[in-house]
Amino acid sequence: MFVQIRRWILTEGHAYNIIDRFSKKPGEGPSLIEQREGFISRELLMKNTRRGEEEVVMIIRWDSEEAWKAWEKSPEHIAGHKKQIKEHGGKPPKPEYVISMENSNYTVVE
């Protein structure tokens, strides 16, 4: 199994901006990523904090690294990024509420 983990650190009060962007909307069927061969699951986690910076983690599980790479190279995935570039006239700017974002990939060994 192959796991991709994305972690956002956000200014206070903005965790739901990320959660809304990536969560399923009522009445929607499976997303494009969920329809990909080799996709297993996706979870969104929000760290419990009282005040200060907030943290959101998204965990995406794939059957294999090859399945994930096929998604990254798929016309659907590339089209989504091209659409954002076209809408913003270049690479979309990082929202001001995002302090940092990390993307890590793991192979499950046990």
Side-chain angles (χ1 to χ4, degrees):
M1 184 184 330
F2 182 78
V3 177
Q4 181 182 43
I5 299 177
R6 292 182 181 172
R7 178 178 173 255
W8 292 268
I9 303 297
L10 311 154
T11 57
E12 187 173 352
H14 291 286
Y16 282 100
N17 291 32
I18 299 296
I19 292 167
D20 288 343
R21 178 175 174 205
F22 290 102
S23 28
K24 281 189 128 181
K25 309 301 182 267
E28 283 186 357
S31 67
L32 292 173
I33 195 171
E34 292 170 321
Q35 296 174 47
R36 289 298 298 187
E37 185 174 332
F39 173 84
I40 296 173
S41 66
R42 183 185 64 165
E43 294 175 288
L44 280 168
L45 306 147
M46 183 173 71
K47 186 175 183 178
N48 295 332
T49 57
R50 289 181 171 230
R51 281 186 238 131
E53 296 174 354
E54 298 176 339
E55 180 178 341
V56 174
V57 174
M58 181 166 59
I59 302 169
I60 306 169
R61 291 178 179 82
W62 296 91
D63 282 338
S64 65
E65 185 174 358
E66 291 73 26
W68 167 71
K69 285 180 179 178
W71 161 249
E72 290 286 310
K73 295 177 183 176
S74 72
E76 298 88 357
H77 185 252
I78 292 168
H81 284 278
K82 283 184 178 179
K83 180 182 175 190
Q84 285 188 339
I85 289 168
K86 185 177 180 180
E87 288 173 358
H88 294 278
K91 184 177 178 181
K94 178 178 81 169
E96 62 183 45
Y97 56 82
V98 175
I99 297 169
S100 66
M101 189 271 193
E102 297 175 11
N103 189 26
S104 301
N105 299 319
Y106 301 87
T107 299
V108 177
V109 294
E110 187 175 314

